[in-house]
């Protein structure tokens, strides 16, 4: 069955890119998108008809010469990834085939896609919103299970659902406000306004605040969790790092002040990427190099999601935040909150505790929706504007609708509806070519 009608293709030119990784492989997928995709695919395949969404085996030919045998798949607009007509050529994955196909496509007037251009077209054609597109990048980049799950939820429109809810609450409030301004008796306006719009604004504010509280967690899942090992010189920090990762990554010695540079080691805990940092022992020192190490150690201690403070006589007690781990490095049998860094006695308990912390604090079932700095920035601006609307309700009604519109604009930006070229360029340049 062939599709008879060519459904509205956008004005853009037709692009192509290799969608699979380059290098030697069994199969390589070359993807074409745009108004010419179908006709160019037809002329490469002896003009035999292509049925929608049916894989067919065809000889690819250019200027009379056979290039390859390929599976050809046609997705007529608008039911495709980009919303334009898309053709996939599944050819053999050698450098020579890929080059010959690319040359043929270029000679047919197609253009090599820029990074993220397929997804950008999908967003521009309303096939997905910006946050779903970001979920897609995260899914492609996911290295652990936790990241994969969060990315899939984002791709399924989790954040979209949330901001659509905020938007509808704001629109309800706006409708009340504008209705009241039109009809109410001058004297009654402020009271009537606050009465009708307040519950909507309250609900939106509560939702935004809750999402922002969870945001650190969402970003931690994307970028990984940082755990800093801190303590006095000679506490056994480097010895502990080596035990945790089971490799000799950091130099240890009886000399106080051995570690200066931050030594990092990576692991996966509870499905999330975790980076442990071993840091210089914290003390005042006149040695300029060690002092720089201590400065870096303090900075890392402050930035990390979690600190393990290792104590050995004399114990120091510094840079701790809520929920951190304090461990005594002891000889012989270990009790709760103790470890023997040299023998590894107590290490299993520490790892259990870390697994528990990572899974409850960072991957809980109520996982985060705001997963990027960009999301947090838009949501904060929307929250500030909504709070301002609520403050103005009883006192300056003329400002309320202006505030609500500002909140709606911030949400549009979050959705990628604001269509600001610059924002689009920045986001899509993070994609790889072929996506
Ligand atoms: N007996 C014993 N020795 C330990 C223990 N932990 C570490 N040590 C020793 O103590 C010395 C200092 O250990 P490191 O791991 O280098 O200490 P650090 O905290 O990294 O020290 P700086 O890098 O100087 O801040 C080394 O000689 C270790 O072998 C322990 O639990 N028991
Ligand atoms: Mg050390």
């Amino acid at each position: 069955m062939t599709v008879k009608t060519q459904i509205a293709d956008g004005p853009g030119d037709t692009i192509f890119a290799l969608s699979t990784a380059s290098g030697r492989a069994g199969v390589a997928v070359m993807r074409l998108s745009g108004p010419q995709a179908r006709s160019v695919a037809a002329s490469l395949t002896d003009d035999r008809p292509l049925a929608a969404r049916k894989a067919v085996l065809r000889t690819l030919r250019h200027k009379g010469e056979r290039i390859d045998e390929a599976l050809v798949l046609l997705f007529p607009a608008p039911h495709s990834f980009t919303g334009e007509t898309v053709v996939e050529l599944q050819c053999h994955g050698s450098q020579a085939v890929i080059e010959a196909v690319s040359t043929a496509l270029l000679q047919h007037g197609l253009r090599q896609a820029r990074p993220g251009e397929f997804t950008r077209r999908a967003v521009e054609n309303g096939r997905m919103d910006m946050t779903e597109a970001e979920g897609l990048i995260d899914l492609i980049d996911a290295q652990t299970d936790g990241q994969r799950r969060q990315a899939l939820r984002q791709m399924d429109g989790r954040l979209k659902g949330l901001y659509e809810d905020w938007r509808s609450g704001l629109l309800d409030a706006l409708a009340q406000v504008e209705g009241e301004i039109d009809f109410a008796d001058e004297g009654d306006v402020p009271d009537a306004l606050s009465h009708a719009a307040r519950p909507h604004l309250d609900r939106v504010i509560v939702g935004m605040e809750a999402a922002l509280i969870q945001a650190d967690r969402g970003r931690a899942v994307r970028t990984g969790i940082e755990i800093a090992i801190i303590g006095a010189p000679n506490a056994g920090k480097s010895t502990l790092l080596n035990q945790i990762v089971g490799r000799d990554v950091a130099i240890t010695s009886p000399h106080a002040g051995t570690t200066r540079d931050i030594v990092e080691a990576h692991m996966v805990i509870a499905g999330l990427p975790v980076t442990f940092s071993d840091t210089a022992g914290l003390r005042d020192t006149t040695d300029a190099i060690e002092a720089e190490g201590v400065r870096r150690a303090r900075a890392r201690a402050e930035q990390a999601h979690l600190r393990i403070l290792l104590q050995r006589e004399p114990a120091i007690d510094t840079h701790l935040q809520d929920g951190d781990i304090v461990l005594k490095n002891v000889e012989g049998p270990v009790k709760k909150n103790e470890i023997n860094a040299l023998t590894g006695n107590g290490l299993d308990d520490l790892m259990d505790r870390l697994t528990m912390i990572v899974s409850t604090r960072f991957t809980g079932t109520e996982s985060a929706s705001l997963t990027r700095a960009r999301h947090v920035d838009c949501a904060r601006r929307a929250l500030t504007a909504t709070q301002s609307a609520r403050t103005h309700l009883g006192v300056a009604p003329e400002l309320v609708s202006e505030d609500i519109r500002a909140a709606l604009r911030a949400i549009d930006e979050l959705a990628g509806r604001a269509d600001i070229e610059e924002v689009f360029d920045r986001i899509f340049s993070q994609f790889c070519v072929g996506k």
Side-chain angles (χ1 to χ4, degrees):
M1 177 200 74
T2 55
V3 171
K4 282 168 241 126
T5 44
Q6 178 72 28
I7 315 161
D9 249 328
D13 47 359
T14 303
I15 52 173
F16 74 94
L18 184 65
S19 284
T20 41
S22 65
R24 183 168 171 263
V27 176
V29 177
M30 192 68 92
R31 195 153 53 158
L32 288 53
S33 178
Q36 266 91 56
R38 186 188 190 131
S39 59
V40 169
S43 42
L44 289 177
T45 53
D46 303 324
D47 287 313
R48 292 168 65 191
L50 292 171
R53 289 177 296 280
K54 273 224 172 78
V56 284
L57 184 63
R58 291 282 187 270
T59 302
L60 296 185
R61 228 183 283 277
H62 182 52
K63 294 190 170 157
E65 192 189 339
R66 195 161 72 116
I67 302 175
D68 193 14
E69 297 292 316
L71 269 187
V72 181
L73 248 170
L74 166 72
F75 301 90
H79 302 293
S80 72
F81 176 72
T82 57
E84 304 174 323
T85 294
V86 167
V87 173
E88 276 189 21
L89 304 174
Q90 306 188 357
C91 29
H92 292 99
S94 74
Q95 208 55 45
V97 168
I98 292 162
E99 253 160 48
V101 174
S102 301
T103 305
L105 294 173
L106 287 170
Q107 289 180 358
H108 275 96
L110 268 49
R111 168 170 74 69
Q112 173 82 46
R114 287 186 281 270
E117 199 169 1
F118 287 93
T119 313
R120 181 177 184 145
R121 289 186 176 196
V123 172
E124 285 170 347
N125 292 328
R127 300 292 291 167
M128 60 176 82
D129 84 335
M130 188 68 88
T131 63
E132 290 164 327
E134 286 168 329
L136 176 66
I137 320 183
D138 289 347
L139 185 64
I140 292 169
D141 289 341
Q143 293 188 336
T144 70
D145 268 353
Q147 291 178 320
R148 177 180 58 76
R149 286 194 206 103
Q150 173 165 295
L152 267 178
R153 282 191 296 257
Q154 189 83 299
M155 218 174 84
D156 288 345
R158 184 188 175 95
L159 177 49
K160 184 179 179 187
L162 195 61
Y163 74 66
E164 289 291 7
D165 187 48
W166 298 341
R167 181 207 298 276
S168 98
L170 287 167
L171 288 174
D172 286 344
L174 192 62
Q176 299 289 357
V177 170
E178 308 215 314
E180 301 278 356
I181 285 174
D182 287 347
F183 300 114
D185 181 49
E186 280 278 313
D188 299 340
V189 170
D191 276 0
L193 274 178
S194 52
H195 192 71
R198 189 178 297 274
H200 296 297
L201 295 179
D202 283 343
R203 192 175 65 80
V204 171
I205 288 170
V206 167
M208 288 177 177
E209 283 173 343
L212 281 164
I213 287 171
Q214 303 273 345
D216 278 351
R217 189 197 258 194
R219 289 162 72 186
V221 172
R222 269 194 72 237
T223 57
I225 294 161
E226 296 249 0
I227 301 181
I229 304 174
I230 58 172
N234 260 349
K237 302 180 294 300
S238 303
T239 309
L240 177 62
L241 176 74
N242 293 346
Q243 287 283 5
I244 289 174
V245 298
R247 283 181 298 132
D248 211 5
V249 286
I251 300 173
T252 64
S253 89
H255 172 88
T258 302
T259 305
R260 276 109 188 266
D261 286 321
I262 288 174
V263 180
E264 293 187 341
H266 308 279
M267 276 182 91
V268 174
I269 296 181
L272 290 188
V274 174
T275 303
F276 287 93
S277 316
D278 173 30
T279 59
L282 299 170
R283 68 169 171 186
D284 293 328
T285 167
T286 51
D287 181 312
I289 300 168
E290 191 187 348
E292 174 59 18
V294 172
R295 193 191 63 75
R296 292 182 187 201
R298 293 187 196 285
R300 182 59 60 98
E302 269 159 31
Q303 288 161 15
H305 295 103
L306 179 78
R307 283 139 294 278
I308 299 176
L309 175 68
L310 190 62
Q311 295 180 325
R312 205 174 174 197
E313 289 309 317
I316 61 163
D317 198 352
T318 175
H319 284 86
L320 286 173
Q321 298 180 18
D322 269 0
D324 282 346
I325 294 181
V326 181
L327 276 183
K328 277 207 171 63
N329 192 0
V330 298
E331 307 296 326
V334 298
K335 300 199 287 281
K336 196 169 181 288
N337 297 323
E338 292 181 345
I339 196 162
N340 183 330
L342 200 60
T343 62
N345 204 358
L347 186 69
D348 288 349
D349 280 351
L350 174 62
M351 296 318 287
D352 287 349
R353 205 165 151 190
L354 288 174
T355 305
M356 178 70 92
I357 290 175
V358 170
S359 50
T360 53
R361 266 189 234 169
F362 298 101
T363 63
T365 45
E366 249 321 296
S367 66
S369 303
L370 305 171
T371 55
R372 293 168 179 257
R374 189 186 81 78
H375 302 160
V376 172
D377 175 54
C378 293
R380 275 213 189 104
R381 277 185 279 133
L383 174 62
T384 308
T386 311
Q387 283 167 332
S388 163
R390 187 172 61 180
T391 312
H392 284 143
L393 266 183
V395 284
E398 67 287 359
L399 296 180
V400 175
S401 52
E402 213 171 288
D403 288 332
I404 294 178
R405 285 178 204 285
L408 287 167
R409 273 197 305 278
I411 291 175
D412 277 350
E413 196 182 316
L414 178 60
R417 272 182 222 160
D419 193 26
I420 308 162
E421 256 329 273
E422 199 189 321
V423 175
F424 266 54
D425 286 348
R426 203 175 54 226
I427 293 169
F428 288 108
S429 62
Q430 301 165 19
F431 280 63
C432 46
V433 171
K435 254 295 145 205

